[in-house]
Amino acid sequence: MPASPIDNTTPTFDSSKITVIYVLGGPGAGKGTQCANLVKDFGFCHLSAGDLLRAEQTREGSQYGELIRTCIKEGTIVPMEVTIKLLENAMKAELERKPRGEGWADGKGRFLIDGFPRKMDQAVKFDETVCLSTKVLFFTTTEEVMLSRLLERGKTSGREDDNVESIKKRFRTYANDTMPVIQYYASQGKVAEVDSTVAIEDVHKAAREVVLKIFAEKQQTA
Ligand code: UDP
Ligand code: MG
């Protein structure tokens, strides 16, 4: 059968120009903190799936507010269509924004997608329809460390999921749904692991090295 002229699985963004790094790790592993550091170093656009969902949850007129609220509190994963659309829209908006600095000339762009994909279906769908990811930056530490960080954050975050009951559920979802995503990318040699137990600045240094390596490899294949 001849190939269809309309290929439904062509991604919206060309991964030879747009670098997508997924930033994964358990809740409280330090993804958000380190993404902020990498934004300063490399001019990334940092998109946190959780932050986009929380913004959508409170957006007037959103049809997903209740669904998102329930999922976040229960530590479960919002249906992927919602999250993927939010990410894609945010990427489009960012690419239309001008002027931009390093890494954003001639249709190029660099994104840290934080806290996503958390489940296999999201991973496959985003890679196929939005942009093929370049690498996974994976922050690891113990549940004990994550729990204490989240409880500390919970004192001021106002987040409905920074309490012991929700945190336990988030750990379960992470083990059941997100670890398979990390294994999937690891089997493709796409995972760079950084121990995030140590001091913030040391984690930052290690993460910066990972990103430098990603850009160096990308240049060789471009
Ligand atoms: N979430 C989701 N899909 C995603 C990312 C997040 O459903 O792709 C929901 C999920 O309920 C999760 C919550 O948003 O527990 C908070 O995610 P966030 O990344 O903000 O948490 P963090 O890992 O940073 O503590
Ligand atoms: Mg976060």
Side-chain angles (χ1 to χ4, degrees):
M1 214 165 59
S4 157
I6 300 164
D7 182 1
N8 286 327
T9 60
T10 299
T12 306
F13 305 108
D14 174 359
S15 62
S16 70
K17 296 201 152 188
I18 306 296
T19 302
V20 164
I21 301 178
Y22 293 143
V23 183
L24 292 177
K31 303 182 293 290
T33 303
Q34 296 303 335
C35 282
N37 285 330
L38 296 174
V39 166
K40 287 191 209 129
D41 294 340
F42 299 104
F44 279 105
C45 170
H46 170 212
L47 297 176
S48 155
D51 288 350
L52 289 171
L53 287 167
R54 281 183 284 274
E56 177 65 20
Q57 182 193 312
T58 53
R59 186 176 64 82
E60 208 172 315
S62 170
Q63 51 177 314
Y64 302 116
E66 259 328 290
L67 172 71
I68 294 171
R69 188 185 318 276
T70 308
C71 288
I72 287 183
K73 193 138 195 302
E74 293 302 315
T76 56
I77 293 164
V78 174
M80 66 168 174
E81 289 76 12
V82 178
T83 315
I84 289 176
K85 204 66 205 160
L86 291 172
L87 285 167
E88 185 176 9
N89 288 345
M91 287 175 73
K92 277 189 187 143
E94 189 65 21
L95 285 160
E96 280 162 14
R97 209 161 70 87
K98 289 186 188 103
R100 297 297 320 237
E102 192 201 350
W104 292 84
D106 311 320
K108 291 206 195 101
R110 38 179 74 166
F111 293 88
L112 294 173
I113 309 280
D114 162 7
F116 177 96
R118 278 174 138 85
K119 202 174 169 178
M120 270 314 293
D121 63 348
Q122 294 178 324
V124 170
K125 193 79 175 171
F126 188 97
D127 277 350
E128 272 180 15
T129 66
V130 182
C131 188
L132 181 65
S133 55
T134 298
K135 226 32 172 223
V136 177
L137 177 55
F138 176 37
F139 290 107
T140 53
T141 182
T142 63
E143 273 196 10
E144 203 185 351
V145 168
M146 293 192 279
L147 176 65
S148 86
R149 287 179 184 169
L150 290 172
L151 291 178
E152 189 56 36
R153 182 173 79 182
K155 291 178 189 166
T156 54
S157 69
R159 275 179 56 161
E160 287 176 70
D161 58 349
D162 283 344
N163 57 77
V164 176
E165 297 79 61
S166 293
I167 291 167
K168 294 241 159 87
K169 291 174 184 167
R170 290 157 72 192
F171 284 161
R172 203 175 315 142
T173 301
Y174 176 67
N176 292 339
D177 294 327
T178 311
M179 280 314 291
V181 174
I182 290 158
Q183 280 150 9
Y184 167 73
Y185 287 115
S187 75
Q188 302 175 8
K190 279 187 162 188
V191 174
E193 188 171 332
V194 170
D195 178 9
S196 61
T197 314
V198 294
I200 289 179
E201 196 38 46
D202 293 330
V203 180
H204 175 201
K205 275 189 200 139
R208 189 166 49 209
E209 290 307 312
V210 167
V211 172
L212 284 170
K213 204 164 157 232
I214 292 170
F215 285 139
E217 281 169 8
K218 190 124 183 167
Q219 225 148 39
Q220 277 161 23
T221 56

